[in-house]
Amino acid sequence: MKSLLIQKSHARECFRNFLRGKNLLLTTERSRLLDIIFSQRRHFCIYDLHQMCQVNQQKVSLATIYRTLPLMEKAGLIRAVNLKADNWLYENTYFKHHHDHMVCVACGKIIEFENVGIEKMQSKVCKKHDFIMTEHTLELRGYCSHCKKTRKISALLGSKTA
Amino acid sequence: MKSLLIQKSHARECFRNFLRGKNLLLTTERSRLLDIIFSQRRHFCIYDLHQMCQVNQQKVSLATIYRTLPLMEKAGLIRAVNLKADNWLYENTYFKHHHDHMVCVACGKIIEFENVGIEKMQSKVCKKHDFIMTEHTLELRGYCSHCKKTRKISALLGSKTA
DNA sequence: TATAAATTGAGAATAGTTCTCAATATTGTC
DNA sequence: GACAATATTGAGAACTATTCTCAATTTATA
């Protein structure tokens, strides 16, 4: 995987092109947000991002954040994922293969995984229904390896598993 | 698939037992909500449900609806699905096999499908990560067969497909 | 019927998100 | 660099979905 620095400059170029194509500007605020987002690899929520914007004269208002993220999403730089928690998370998708998530309902840990087999079967299902898929999300919820050990999962679960 | 009437009475019994186990009551309001929900098979949102409660002296307050749905969810009668629209939808899951969704982003049509192969591969992935899955959701978004014909999808899509 | 516990509805409170609009920044042109 | 046209920003108001509060009501049980 490329270094964050290189990734960041490519992402900025990509965003600039996207914006240009729509007669929009790569303003200092948009550029700062991009900087922050592409300086780390973890999932982030709007609140996190806003917090990170409050330091270093890098203040960007909530309104601007709410306006900018959908642009980055359309540009293919980030993706919103709903992990059935209380709020949406975003993740950097640029330079990353498509992947899906496992979420531990006990500790909140997010595990990313790729599975070509599943993707292929999805395509088959779509063909069968004459459906053109443009996007998909798969989320598995349950207990991670660590929580499985430390908690009495069997008691929590009863006999149900999905 | 069993008739709605039979299904409804079974669901009521199931809910009653669930509530009893928690020292909760099957009140008239809860019973009315169950009636409404199990009188139709489609997905519904809270707003729909509240509207349906406004007729026939069946008024149930929003507060009660918000309190009751999580109970029914825990009882295994309904399921909340987030189809990336603006709000959550609920669906009757009692007497129904687990299924996943395709959502047409053009017309909003929801297509349900079951695929054992995908489910099996999910289990494999979980085993590999030592993850105990209790729940999962798979959503495919794109264009249904009808919208594919009537709209210039290729123009909308560019070259991207997921 | 009396008592204790659970439930309800109305509206207040909260939280996340979008909207409004005056002030500011940016781009392209001369 | 100055100018005009356009896009953008931030502050706070507005909006919306959801949760909370609490007095009044309902229910189960003795």
Side-chain angles (χ1 to χ4, degrees), chain A residues 23-34:
Chain A
N23 278 320
L24 302 176
L25 312 173
L26 180 54
T27 62
T28 37
E29 286 79 5
R30 287 174 185 162
S31 186
R32 279 173 186 165
L33 287 175
L34 191 139

PDB file of all heavy atoms in Angstrom, chain A residues 23-34:
ATOM      1  N   ASN A  23     -17.242  22.661 -12.024  1.00  0.00           N
ATOM      2  CA  ASN A  23     -17.070  24.095 -11.800  1.00  0.00           C
ATOM      3  C   ASN A  23     -17.094  24.470 -10.325  1.00  0.00           C
ATOM      4  O   ASN A  23     -17.648  25.489  -9.936  1.00  0.00           O
ATOM      5  CB  ASN A  23     -18.147  24.888 -12.542  1.00  0.00           C
ATOM      6  CG  ASN A  23     -17.770  25.077 -13.993  1.00  0.00           C
ATOM      7  OD1 ASN A  23     -16.595  25.318 -14.307  1.00  0.00           O
ATOM      8  ND2 ASN A  23     -18.743  24.930 -14.874  1.00  0.00           N
ATOM      9  N   LEU A  24     -16.482  23.599  -9.552  1.00  0.00           N
ATOM     10  CA  LEU A  24     -16.362  23.894  -8.114  1.00  0.00           C
ATOM     11  C   LEU A  24     -14.892  24.133  -7.800  1.00  0.00           C
ATOM     12  O   LEU A  24     -14.007  23.783  -8.581  1.00  0.00           O
ATOM     13  CB  LEU A  24     -16.893  22.711  -7.295  1.00  0.00           C
ATOM     14  CG  LEU A  24     -18.353  22.324  -7.571  1.00  0.00           C
ATOM     15  CD1 LEU A  24     -18.728  21.084  -6.785  1.00  0.00           C
ATOM     16  CD2 LEU A  24     -19.281  23.480  -7.275  1.00  0.00           C
ATOM     17  N   LEU A  25     -14.658  24.711  -6.638  1.00  0.00           N
ATOM     18  CA  LEU A  25     -13.285  25.113  -6.313  1.00  0.00           C
ATOM     19  C   LEU A  25     -12.662  24.240  -5.241  1.00  0.00           C
ATOM     20  O   LEU A  25     -13.347  23.791  -4.317  1.00  0.00           O
ATOM     21  CB  LEU A  25     -13.287  26.554  -5.811  1.00  0.00           C
ATOM     22  CG  LEU A  25     -14.066  27.564  -6.659  1.00  0.00           C
ATOM     23  CD1 LEU A  25     -14.142  28.914  -5.962  1.00  0.00           C
ATOM     24  CD2 LEU A  25     -13.444  27.697  -8.027  1.00  0.00           C
ATOM     25  N   LEU A  26     -11.372  24.024  -5.353  1.00  0.00           N
ATOM     26  CA  LEU A  26     -10.664  23.345  -4.272  1.00  0.00           C
ATOM     27  C   LEU A  26     -10.197  24.411  -3.298  1.00  0.00           C
ATOM     28  O   LEU A  26      -9.097  24.941  -3.391  1.00  0.00           O
ATOM     29  CB  LEU A  26      -9.464  22.552  -4.804  1.00  0.00           C
ATOM     30  CG  LEU A  26      -8.646  21.791  -3.758  1.00  0.00           C
ATOM     31  CD1 LEU A  26      -9.542  20.884  -2.926  1.00  0.00           C
ATOM     32  CD2 LEU A  26      -7.555  20.968  -4.414  1.00  0.00           C
ATOM     33  N   THR A  27     -11.066  24.771  -2.385  1.00  0.00           N
ATOM     34  CA  THR A  27     -10.770  25.851  -1.431  1.00  0.00           C
ATOM     35  C   THR A  27      -9.823  25.379  -0.342  1.00  0.00           C
ATOM     36  O   THR A  27      -9.562  24.178  -0.229  1.00  0.00           O
ATOM     37  CB  THR A  27     -12.062  26.325  -0.760  1.00  0.00           C
ATOM     38  OG1 THR A  27     -12.613  25.215  -0.041  1.00  0.00           O
ATOM     39  CG2 THR A  27     -13.055  26.797  -1.783  1.00  0.00           C
ATOM     40  N   THR A  28      -9.339  26.324   0.438  1.00  0.00           N
ATOM     41  CA  THR A  28      -8.460  25.940   1.548  1.00  0.00           C
ATOM     42  C   THR A  28      -9.182  25.005   2.512  1.00  0.00           C
ATOM     43  O   THR A  28      -8.587  24.039   2.990  1.00  0.00           O
ATOM     44  CB  THR A  28      -7.974  27.175   2.323  1.00  0.00           C
ATOM     45  OG1 THR A  28      -9.024  28.123   2.383  1.00  0.00           O
ATOM     46  CG2 THR A  28      -6.768  27.795   1.669  1.00  0.00           C
ATOM     47  N   GLU A  29     -10.439  25.275   2.771  1.00  0.00           N
ATOM     48  CA  GLU A  29     -11.175  24.417   3.706  1.00  0.00           C
ATOM     49  C   GLU A  29     -11.283  22.990   3.170  1.00  0.00           C
ATOM     50  O   GLU A  29     -11.041  22.024   3.884  1.00  0.00           O
ATOM     51  CB  GLU A  29     -12.582  24.967   3.966  1.00  0.00           C
ATOM     52  CG  GLU A  29     -12.622  26.187   4.865  1.00  0.00           C
ATOM     53  CD  GLU A  29     -12.248  27.465   4.125  1.00  0.00           C
ATOM     54  OE1 GLU A  29     -12.059  27.395   2.879  1.00  0.00           O
ATOM     55  OE2 GLU A  29     -12.138  28.527   4.760  1.00  0.00           O
ATOM     56  N   ARG A  30     -11.662  22.859   1.932  1.00  0.00           N
ATOM     57  CA  ARG A  30     -11.798  21.518   1.356  1.00  0.00           C
ATOM     58  C   ARG A  30     -10.451  20.804   1.356  1.00  0.00           C
ATOM     59  O   ARG A  30     -10.364  19.604   1.614  1.00  0.00           O
ATOM     60  CB  ARG A  30     -12.356  21.615  -0.064  1.00  0.00           C
ATOM     61  CG  ARG A  30     -13.835  21.972  -0.062  1.00  0.00           C
ATOM     62  CD  ARG A  30     -14.397  22.227  -1.444  1.00  0.00           C
ATOM     63  NE  ARG A  30     -15.789  22.670  -1.349  1.00  0.00           N
ATOM     64  CZ  ARG A  30     -16.447  23.287  -2.323  1.00  0.00           C
ATOM     65  NH1 ARG A  30     -15.855  23.535  -3.485  1.00  0.00           N
ATOM     66  NH2 ARG A  30     -17.699  23.659  -2.139  1.00  0.00           N
ATOM     67  N   SER A  31      -9.421  21.575   1.084  1.00  0.00           N
ATOM     68  CA  SER A  31      -8.094  20.996   1.057  1.00  0.00           C
ATOM     69  C   SER A  31      -7.667  20.535   2.455  1.00  0.00           C
ATOM     70  O   SER A  31      -7.054  19.485   2.622  1.00  0.00           O
ATOM     71  CB  SER A  31      -7.128  22.033   0.501  1.00  0.00           C
ATOM     72  OG  SER A  31      -5.853  21.474   0.324  1.00  0.00           O
ATOM     73  N   ARG A  32      -8.006  21.327   3.456  1.00  0.00           N
ATOM     74  CA  ARG A  32      -7.661  20.943   4.823  1.00  0.00           C
ATOM     75  C   ARG A  32      -8.367  19.675   5.243  1.00  0.00           C
ATOM     76  O   ARG A  32      -7.791  18.805   5.885  1.00  0.00           O
ATOM     77  CB  ARG A  32      -8.064  22.061   5.798  1.00  0.00           C
ATOM     78  CG  ARG A  32      -7.062  23.171   5.850  1.00  0.00           C
ATOM     79  CD  ARG A  32      -7.582  24.317   6.696  1.00  0.00           C
ATOM     80  NE  ARG A  32      -6.652  25.439   6.613  1.00  0.00           N
ATOM     81  CZ  ARG A  32      -6.932  26.673   6.999  1.00  0.00           C
ATOM     82  NH1 ARG A  32      -8.144  26.931   7.492  1.00  0.00           N
ATOM     83  NH2 ARG A  32      -6.046  27.622   6.905  1.00  0.00           N
ATOM     84  N   LEU A  33      -9.625  19.585   4.897  1.00  0.00           N
ATOM     85  CA  LEU A  33     -10.379  18.381   5.249  1.00  0.00           C
ATOM     86  C   LEU A  33      -9.739  17.170   4.601  1.00  0.00           C
ATOM     87  O   LEU A  33      -9.556  16.130   5.224  1.00  0.00           O
ATOM     88  CB  LEU A  33     -11.837  18.522   4.804  1.00  0.00           C
ATOM     89  CG  LEU A  33     -12.658  19.491   5.664  1.00  0.00           C
ATOM     90  CD1 LEU A  33     -14.047  19.670   5.079  1.00  0.00           C
ATOM     91  CD2 LEU A  33     -12.736  18.982   7.094  1.00  0.00           C
ATOM     92  N   LEU A  34      -9.398  17.334   3.352  1.00  0.00           N
ATOM     93  CA  LEU A  34      -8.749  16.236   2.647  1.00  0.00           C
ATOM     94  C   LEU A  34      -7.456  15.848   3.349  1.00  0.00           C
ATOM     95  O   LEU A  34      -7.166  14.670   3.557  1.00  0.00           O
ATOM     96  CB  LEU A  34      -8.481  16.665   1.204  1.00  0.00           C
ATOM     97  CG  LEU A  34      -8.035  15.560   0.256  1.00  0.00           C
ATOM     98  CD1 LEU A  34      -8.720  15.730  -1.097  1.00  0.00           C
ATOM     99  CD2 LEU A  34      -6.544  15.564   0.070  1.00  0.00           C
TER     100      LEU A  34
END
